[in-house]
Amino acid sequence: MPTISASVPTDSVPFAVRGACPHDCPDTCALLTTVVDGVATRVQGNPEHAHTDGVLCAKVSRYTERSYHPERVLTPLKRSGPKGSGQFTPVSWDEALADIAQRLSTIAAHDPEAILPYSYAGTMGMVQGESMDRRFFNRLGASLLDRTICASAGAEALVQTLGGKVGMKVEFFAEAQLILIWGSNSIGSNLHFWRYAQQAKRNGARLVCIDPRKTETADKCHEHIALRPGTDAALALALMHELIAHDWLDHDYIAHHTLGWEGLRERALQWPPERAAEVCGVPVEQIRQLAKDYGTTQPAAIRLNYGMQRVRGGGNAVRAVTCLPALTGAWRHRAGGMLLSSSGQYPVQRAVLQRPDLLAGRQPRTINMSTIGDDLLRPASPPFGPQVQAVVVYNSNPVAVAPESGKVVQGFAREDLFTVVLEHFRTDTADYADYILPATTQLEHWDVHLSYGHTDVVLNRPAIEPLGQARSNAQIFRDLAARMGYTDPCFADDDATLCRQAFGDAVDFALLESQGFATLAMPDAPFAEGQFPSPSGKCEFYSARLAAQGLDGLPDHLPNYELQGSSAQYPLAMISPPARNFLNSSFVNVKSLRDIEGRPLLEIHPDDAEARGIANDSIVRVFNARGSYRCHASVSRRARPGVVNGMGIWWRKLGLDGTNVNEITSQALTDLGRAPTFYDCLVEVEAVDATDAVA
């Protein structure tokens, strides 16, 4: 092991610099980057961090390939051809910043709400993801962005049920006797949780995977329940029915630590297993056995992920599943309960980082990032406000990842839309930029990270100097603030200072500096005696806050907008889970990973393929009223009959015809949290004539 350095190494002795994985994954791994002569030569997991334990996924273990990619953007670029053409000319930072500041100032002088920031989790860092950028846009008075594209339905469900994004500690899954892995392909998207699950399995635990797709995780579990997309709440309610019918309940826990039991009991009794079996498309005995296993096994734990909430009733589904541990008293055990997100445990000082006071009493409109396709095409109107005239994109690739991407492309192709993109590469979105500004990667800047899968804070030190002319996101917004004439003292805070501000005195920064991570102090079984962070301090089966909004206070099953069987024209349901070697649209351009992934794929069950004359590896057209895209067919029993799996998210420019799976997804929003409904999508699939197939 090379010597561990506290600063950027400068000589030929190998050093290992402590860091953090920045990507949108619950594992938030601690990294060690080996540096020789100022060059990062290897990225590996930090063995001293218990959750990482020296192990990284295949994607991040290739991080040097990403940072030193030959196509890295290393100088500011100004558009020199038509939007979308990818034609750019290098310019100086001075020229780029001066022109951007002048253009934004001109728009802001008329109405700053015509300017829209667009960002998500390209980095999960508190500094490079949500600090100086928010200060800049608050000071400007730009439109606010509702950041909903991944997790907001499930997050709202947790808030309305438990009171926050909280759950059991992930390490104690290793001690559970039953683990329900619900809507998660943990092997591909939560590797370090999977290691705890495997430990439990070796100790005799039963693992059940609940997922429409027969994932790699399902292959390794004792049982796979292949329910139809969007029917998770029906399954959860049927489990409740059986818990009640057989009295597999912890009456004391229900009485003292829950709210709304009588109403939930009445609703659950409307969902016998036979009804749920018909809705979910699974055998009734499978539901009965799962209920018995869950009701008679302690400790029992549930690991949710966000796939299950990407349908019309996604928020209600998460609420229903979240109620289950309180019914059986699973929370009494440190290895019992459930986990979707732990991020609400962290004492983040967001107001200090983001400075909402810079709005100075203004209340800008909020635009939902999931409806960007429609919103960029909206004219000015009293309900909407001014037409969007400028977009600043960072930590996101909306042309590839936002739903109904044909409309997203139309919006970004507007000649009158001024677009600035902070990026590492010329992504699909960057092709439509007026300016591309070169951003640093995680190896080149300071940051500090919370996690939504464990309860450690992880510090990221820069391992190498920024390549080329790249600057950190925070530095770019500092520079823009200076060009705009913003002299507020907060714009002088450097990145290391911002790292310290993120948690203030609530986290020992000296410990972060010395070992790279710090564990939050919290009980092993945080809700053994109730004490949920909800208004009542209880697990709220009934949410008065939802009722006050005119919504159902109890969880229920809401059928999909695009319900399978409702359309003769589009008879197949489609979900679009992530390809194993990509992370959203990140890593798609890393050749070694793209070579492993091979090509854009649609998994289709043999019965559905045979009915359409589709052969394995042939090219197919997947389509609905919103659009179509072409890809290769994988005739596979990973798809259940009647459901196809459009594996995402490929960059459009790397697709067969310049499109990807989001060409056909919908901008309709979920029941809670205003989130997208990517997995609530009906399609038809047809074979493409060989003469039209272009590989």
Side-chain angles (χ1 to χ4, degrees):
M1 175 67 68
T3 303
I4 293 179
S5 171
S7 59
V8 176
T10 56
D11 57 33
S12 59
V13 177
F15 286 90
V17 181
R18 295 185 181 94
C21 176
H23 290 288
D24 187 1
C25 166
D27 290 11
T28 314
C29 292
L31 307 180
L32 291 179
T33 301
T34 300
V35 181
V36 181
D37 290 332
V39 176
T41 60
R42 182 186 183 193
V43 175
Q44 63 196 106
N46 186 346
E48 296 178 1
H49 183 238
H51 296 297
T52 305
D53 197 25
V55 176
L56 293 182
C57 67
K59 299 180 280 288
V60 178
S61 64
R62 289 173 166 84
Y63 206 82
T64 56
E65 187 177 342
R66 191 173 189 278
S67 290
Y68 292 110
H69 198 292
E71 296 173 359
R72 189 81 193 266
V73 175
L74 295 176
T75 185
L77 300 174
K78 182 177 182 178
R79 179 166 64 92
S80 56
K83 286 200 171 187
S85 67
Q87 298 175 39
F88 294 91
T89 300
V91 295
S92 69
W93 271 107
D94 282 344
E95 179 181 342
L97 291 169
D99 193 20
I100 293 167
Q102 187 273 322
R103 296 282 294 271
L104 295 181
S105 295
T106 299
I107 295 169
H110 182 259
D111 193 334
E113 291 183 38
I115 299 168
L116 177 69
Y118 195 103
S119 70
Y120 198 65
T123 174
M124 297 290 283
M126 306 303 298
V127 173
Q128 308 305 339
E130 51 179 297
S131 64
M132 197 60 67
D133 58 309
R134 309 297 170 91
R135 296 179 185 186
F136 175 80
F137 290 113
N138 285 336
R139 177 65 174 78
L140 181 62
S143 287
L144 304 175
L145 185 72
D146 199 4
R147 291 175 170 85
T148 62
I149 202 160
C150 179
S152 62
E156 182 68 10
L158 291 182
V159 169
Q160 296 294 346
T161 311
L162 304 180
K165 291 185 281 185
V166 297
M168 61 183 286
K169 297 175 77 170
V170 68
E171 55 265 40
F172 296 130
F173 276 92
E175 300 173 9
Q177 288 301 301
L178 174 68
I179 301 177
L180 308 187
I181 302 175
W182 204 319
S184 175
N185 184 11
S186 304
I187 289 176
S189 62
N190 196 183
L191 178 63
H192 294 80
F193 156 75
W194 180 246
R195 293 169 65 244
Y196 292 126
Q198 288 292 91
Q199 185 178 338
K201 186 180 180 183
R202 288 191 294 270
N203 293 335
R206 179 172 173 79
L207 273 56
V208 179
C209 179
I210 304 171
D211 197 305
R213 180 174 181 256
K214 193 174 189 296
T215 62
E216 296 85 351
T217 303
D219 291 340
K220 301 295 184 182
C221 289
H222 295 96
E223 185 177 10
H224 174 217
I225 299 178
L227 76 178
R228 292 189 180 107
T231 62
D232 303 85
L235 177 58
L237 288 163
L239 297 183
M240 295 181 201
H241 178 285
E242 292 298 276
L243 297 178
I244 296 165
H246 296 277
D247 199 25
W248 295 322
L249 300 169
D250 186 329
H251 293 282
D252 180 73
Y253 196 92
I254 292 170
H256 290 96
H257 306 309
T258 72
L259 183 69
W261 164 234
E262 288 303 321
L264 182 64
R265 182 180 185 277
E266 180 180 348
R267 177 152 295 170
L269 288 175
Q270 300 170 17
W271 280 93
E274 291 80 5
R275 181 185 178 191
E278 184 175 350
V279 169
C280 299
V282 300
V284 65
E285 286 305 322
Q286 200 171 34
I287 297 176
R288 289 198 181 103
Q289 186 61 50
L290 179 63
K292 182 178 181 181
D293 290 345
Y294 187 73
T296 61
T297 305
Q298 292 285 9
I302 302 172
R303 182 62 172 105
L304 294 182
N305 211 340
Y306 286 104
M308 65 176 295
Q309 47 102 72
R310 297 189 176 116
V311 294
R312 175 199 175 199
N316 268 271
V318 173
R319 286 207 72 218
V321 175
T322 302
C323 290
L324 290 169
L327 295 179
T328 62
W331 289 116
R332 295 188 188 276
H333 308 272
R334 72 178 193 175
M338 59 80 62
L339 177 63
L340 172 59
S341 175
S342 58
S343 64
Q345 309 277 16
Y346 289 84
V348 182
Q349 298 190 134
R350 282 194 164 87
V352 175
L353 278 179
Q354 301 181 8
R355 295 294 302 273
D357 58 294
L358 293 170
L359 284 167
R362 295 170 293 181
Q363 295 181 319
R365 68 177 173 188
T366 298
I367 290 179
N368 191 331
M369 69 185 307
S370 297
T371 57
I372 189 68
D374 281 342
D375 290 335
L376 287 182
L377 298 174
R378 293 187 198 277
S381 68
F384 181 63
Q387 184 184 42
V388 177
Q389 296 177 30
V391 183
V392 181
V393 179
Y394 54 105
N395 298 335
S396 190
N397 183 12
V399 170
V401 306
E404 201 170 354
S405 54
K407 286 188 175 180
V408 181
V409 168
Q410 290 178 46
F412 276 100
R414 281 174 42 204
E415 280 297 329
D416 62 337
L417 179 71
F418 180 60
T419 303
V420 179
V421 176
L422 284 58
E423 255 299 352
H424 306 138
F425 303 105
R426 296 193 193 184
T427 63
D428 290 334
T429 305
D431 283 344
Y432 289 87
D434 293 284
Y435 281 96
I436 307 174
L437 302 181
T440 48
T441 69
Q442 190 76 347
L443 303 187
E444 302 159 76
H445 57 228
W446 284 93
D447 216 330
V448 65
H449 292 254
L450 53 72
S451 172
Y452 62 94
H454 59 67
T455 49
D456 292 354
V457 177
V458 190
L459 180 68
N460 187 76
R461 290 178 175 275
I464 57 174
E465 295 293 339
L467 299 186
Q469 298 180 42
R471 299 181 182 181
S472 75
N473 287 348
Q475 183 61 50
I476 292 170
F477 284 107
R478 268 191 295 271
D479 294 339
L480 279 174
R483 293 283 180 156
M484 300 281 283
Y486 299 160
T487 58
D488 314 67
C490 68
F491 290 109
D493 293 340
D494 63 21
D495 290 9
T497 299
L498 292 169
C499 285
R500 291 179 177 274
Q501 291 174 355
F503 296 97
D505 295 335
V507 173
D508 185 346
F509 200 82
L511 183 62
L512 284 177
E513 289 185 303
S514 64
Q515 71 175 22
F517 57 90
T519 301
L520 298 181
M522 57 180 289
D524 284 353
F527 310 121
E529 300 298 330
Q531 299 179 326
F532 293 94
S534 63
S536 65
K538 299 179 178 183
C539 177
E540 296 192 348
F541 301 148
Y542 176 84
S543 170
R545 291 174 291 171
L546 287 178
Q549 299 173 39
L551 302 174
D552 194 335
L554 293 167
D556 202 358
H557 167 64
L558 300 180
N560 281 1
Y561 291 119
E562 301 185 12
L563 185 63
Q564 189 178 356
S566 65
S567 170
Q569 193 173 9
Y570 307 116
L572 298 172
M574 187 191 76
I575 61 173
S576 44
R580 182 171 177 177
N581 293 286
F582 304 153
L583 202 160
N584 299 320
S585 74
S586 296
F587 297 100
V588 180
N589 66 322
V590 174
K591 186 177 184 302
S592 64
L593 293 169
R594 192 169 71 248
D595 287 348
I596 297 170
E597 202 57 46
R599 60 216 181 285
L601 282 183
L602 180 89
E603 294 175 346
I604 184 169
H605 189 273
D607 293 350
D608 295 320
E610 183 179 8
R612 291 162 175 78
I614 293 169
N616 189 56
D617 206 37
S618 63
I619 295 177
V620 295
R621 186 172 79 98
V622 192
F623 63 98
N624 58 22
R626 288 179 289 273
S628 69
Y629 82 106
R630 293 188 306 156
C631 61
H632 289 263
S634 173
V635 179
S636 168
R637 294 188 183 275
R638 291 205 180 281
R640 63 160 286 156
V643 180
V644 293
N645 308 322
M647 308 305 291
I649 304 173
W650 284 75
W651 288 7
R652 290 169 58 91
K653 69 174 73 176
L654 297 176
L656 297 188
D657 48 11
T659 57
N660 68 11
V661 68
N662 279 320
E663 193 78 7
I664 57 179
T665 54
S666 165
Q667 293 183 75
L669 301 179
T670 53
D671 52 347
L672 304 177
R674 308 162 308 284
T677 54
F678 288 112
Y679 296 1
D680 189 338
C681 180
L682 290 183
V683 302
E684 180 57 288
V685 181
E686 65 181 12
V688 174
D689 189 284
T691 59
D692 296 329
V694 178

